[in-house]
Amino acid sequence: MNFTDFYMQLTLVAFLVIFAVVRRHSRVAMMMYVLAFNLYFAYRLNGMQMWLLPLTACLNYALVQEMSLREGRARRLLLWAVVAADIGALAYFKYTTFIFDDVIGKMIGSNFSLHSVVMPVGVSFYTFQAVSYAVDVYRRRFTMEVRLLEYLFYLTFFPLLLAGPITRACNLLPQLRRNSPASGRMVWTGLWLLMLGMLKKFVVADYIAQFNNWVFDAPQSFSGFENMAAFLGYPVQIYLDFSGYSDMSIGVAAMLGFMLPDNFRFPYRSLSLTEFWRRWHISLSTWFRDYLYIPLGGNRKGTLRMYLNNFVTMLVAGLWHGASWMFVIWGALHGIGLAIHKFFSRQLGLRLPNNVAGNALSWLLTYAYVCVAWTFFRATDVGCVVTMYARIATDLSMDYLVPFVCARPVWTLLVAVSMLTYLVPERQYTRMQMRFICLPWAVKFVSFLVLAQLAVQMSSENVQPFIYANF
């Protein structure tokens, strides 16, 4: 779905106007109206597969309701039934082709190929929200009595449907129950986040993606310098792409009166891999912490078990991103990196000095490791990564710098400026947001129109799908 499409923009504006009117009259009518729009949004994404969404939601609701009334073994069995149904459906859509073609087919040396299974867009995020709700009810961490209409609203809420962020029931459902209209501050904060997301995604990330795609699709056709440029450009692209969607999602929700937690917090300023995962895709990393890492034992069962739990969690996180050995390698790299960091910092007590030089080296090591891992995330196969690094090792010359900048001045400028934003203090970002909120409404409106037109002009011919919509 293209959010720069004029029809989609007009539809969203009309939705917001009608929503504001309906909400004042009846909470039930508001939920039914939003649910209808959620299903329309799902239809635009997935066609007739959208019916899987309400059907599985009703099944989940019935099982969780029954589970909440039980104790002991019956309660555990019902929880496992919910989790098995949700994860089983996700595994079918996401991994059937991979298992039969890439695993079983190669093990038996056959060219057997299963007919491709079409995965509904957003199924991973929807599934994780359903599982978190069931587990939280089982653990009695979420005890609010939820009606079916409220549950359907929660699982199908359209700002979250495409690519999250993964939102817990304890965050969204109490706000839904209160039915408080969006304050002026929430509306303008939402507009700020919507504009910021459009700038990140449609103006910067999509433009950077064009060159990155050329290089990653055929690294042997480009010089070592150009391969290095793509190596540095892709981390910028994926951050702006995904954080841009998260900003828009959180912004639209705020304009509807729902405050969602941040999903990114300046991840490329991290001084360790552990810190990176506290700042990157926060909703996913906390989900894996709470529903996989801690149940596996976390750090409560000894040092070696902690390392193993970290590795397994990141391996599963990699596989969650897609049915490909490249995602498995990406997850394994992060699992190994986390184990190494914990070994040196916890077991050996070795830390770089907390000064400018020490922090700079910590940042450089962390950022370089994350960038190396991203190449496996983006490349189609290991051969592509090997070719890319071989070109960098054998054909990297600074003589290409001036010709490259002259040939791609806009790409170079966007990547350089984006990387310089890593240095912007978080408090400065907050001040910029507050200054925008305090501007006259006419200035904010004109700023939005100018940015929307810029996004349309820059993305009209090269709109890239949201990267995380594929997961």
Side-chain angles (χ1 to χ4, degrees):
M1 180 175 288
N2 178 11
F3 285 90
T4 63
D5 179 75
F6 178 74
Y7 172 76
M8 190 61 203
Q9 292 177 351
L10 192 62
T11 301
L12 285 173
V13 171
F15 167 80
L16 290 171
V17 172
I18 298 173
F19 173 85
V21 175
V22 173
R23 185 172 201 167
R24 291 184 189 141
H25 289 82
S26 168
R27 189 176 77 96
V28 173
M30 178 272 290
M31 289 191 293
M32 294 179 66
Y33 171 66
V34 174
L35 179 59
F37 190 81
N38 293 343
L39 296 179
Y40 166 74
F41 190 84
Y43 175 76
R44 289 290 304 272
L45 291 173
N46 295 311
M48 294 309 296
Q49 278 188 317
M50 55 84 73
W51 287 111
L52 293 170
L53 191 58
L55 291 176
T56 54
C58 288
L59 175 62
N60 279 343
Y61 179 78
L63 290 173
V64 173
Q65 285 294 101
E66 183 66 22
M67 180 188 71
S68 66
L69 302 174
R70 303 285 182 169
E71 297 293 340
R73 186 168 180 269
R75 188 180 180 89
R76 288 194 298 273
L77 288 175
L78 284 167
L79 173 66
W80 280 111
V82 175
V83 173
D86 289 334
I87 300 299
L90 176 64
Y92 169 75
F93 285 111
K94 205 163 190 175
Y95 306 110
T96 299
T97 302
F98 171 69
I99 291 172
F100 280 90
D101 293 1
D102 289 5
V103 180
I104 297 177
K106 291 181 179 179
M107 286 177 60
I108 64 177
S110 169
N111 60 357
F112 168 77
S113 180
L114 187 72
H115 179 69
S116 296
V117 176
V118 179
M119 184 180 74
V121 175
V123 64
S124 296
F125 295 91
Y126 161 84
T127 299
F128 275 23
Q129 288 198 177
V131 170
S132 71
Y133 174 80
V135 174
D136 287 349
V137 171
Y138 172 80
R139 293 173 175 172
R140 293 185 172 87
R141 292 182 178 176
F142 183 75
T143 57
M144 190 176 87
E145 184 178 344
V146 178
R147 299 177 180 87
L148 177 59
L149 187 57
E150 293 171 327
Y151 183 74
L152 289 171
F153 183 104
Y154 161 68
L155 274 194
T156 65
F157 192 37
F158 75 92
L160 309 176
L161 193 58
L162 181 62
I166 302 167
T167 303
R168 308 287 177 91
C170 60
N171 177 271
L172 185 61
L173 287 175
Q175 296 184 69
L176 178 62
R177 183 68 60 84
R178 288 193 299 269
N179 194 33
S180 301
S183 64
R185 185 187 182 91
M186 290 177 67
V187 170
W188 297 127
T189 299
L191 182 62
W192 162 265
L193 291 171
L194 183 61
M195 292 174 60
L196 183 64
M198 291 172 62
L199 177 65
K200 287 180 177 180
K201 165 61 180 171
F202 299 119
V203 177
V204 184
D206 279 4
Y207 190 92
I208 294 175
Q210 298 173 51
F211 174 74
N212 293 343
N213 291 343
W214 296 338
V215 176
F216 275 96
D217 290 344
Q220 70 280 358
S221 302
F222 293 86
S223 68
F225 188 90
E226 289 169 314
N227 274 272
M228 176 59 75
F231 171 84
L232 295 174
Y234 184 71
V236 175
Q237 176 199 339
I238 192 171
Y239 168 64
L240 294 177
D241 187 291
F242 191 25
S243 69
Y245 177 82
S246 291
D247 288 339
M248 287 187 281
S249 177
I250 296 169
V252 171
M255 296 171 76
L256 295 175
F258 300 98
M259 293 301 297
L260 304 180
D262 292 337
N263 204 27
F264 290 87
R265 193 165 59 85
F266 300 90
Y268 289 153
R269 298 185 63 184
S270 303
L271 302 183
S272 70
L273 207 57
T274 301
E275 183 184 357
F276 174 79
W277 279 105
R278 290 172 183 158
R279 293 172 173 266
W280 175 274
H281 201 348
I282 299 169
S283 64
L284 180 68
S285 58
T286 55
W287 193 98
F288 276 111
R289 180 198 66 196
D290 294 344
Y291 302 109
L292 182 59
Y293 176 72
I294 292 177
L296 285 174
N299 57 3
R300 306 186 307 275
K301 298 189 176 182
T303 302
L304 292 178
R305 182 65 178 271
M306 178 187 69
Y307 293 147
L308 178 61
N309 292 340
N310 263 299
F311 183 76
V312 170
T313 299
M314 292 312 303
L315 207 62
V316 174
L319 194 58
W320 173 85
H321 282 83
S324 165
W325 291 115
M326 299 302 286
F327 291 122
V328 174
I329 294 172
W330 175 80
L333 286 173
H334 276 279
I336 293 169
L338 286 170
I340 291 174
H341 172 254
K342 292 181 185 300
F343 174 75
F344 278 98
S345 62
R346 292 189 180 187
Q347 269 59 59
L348 299 184
L350 298 178
R351 293 181 177 88
L352 291 170
N354 186 20
N355 53 36
V356 174
N359 290 341
L361 182 56
S362 296
W363 174 84
L364 182 61
L365 291 172
T366 302
Y367 189 67
Y369 192 90
V370 169
C371 289
V372 169
W374 278 136
T375 60
F376 290 90
F377 188 95
R378 171 59 181 85
T380 54
D381 53 49
V382 175
C384 175
V385 177
V386 172
T387 301
M388 190 174 195
Y389 288 151
R391 295 292 290 166
I392 293 173
T394 60
D395 190 34
L396 180 62
S397 172
M398 294 308 294
D399 293 339
Y400 287 94
L401 175 60
V402 174
F404 181 86
V405 173
C406 292
R408 309 187 197 284
V410 177
W411 188 94
T412 305
L413 178 64
L414 291 177
V415 171
V417 171
S418 298
M419 295 181 72
L420 286 173
T421 62
Y422 303 165
L423 303 176
V424 177
E426 294 181 41
R427 62 180 180 275
Q428 185 61 38
Y429 167 79
T430 304
R431 288 174 185 167
M432 292 170 59
Q433 177 177 306
M434 292 303 301
R435 287 170 183 166
F436 174 83
I437 293 173
C438 294
L439 289 173
W441 72 266
V443 176
K444 288 180 277 199
F445 181 69
V446 171
S447 299
F448 175 77
L449 291 180
V450 171
L451 180 59
Q453 183 60 30
L454 179 62
V456 170
Q457 292 297 323
M458 293 196 69
S459 64
S460 58
E461 296 181 358
N462 297 286
V463 175
Q464 304 290 320
F466 289 103
I467 293 175
Y468 265 71
N470 298 320
F471 306 141

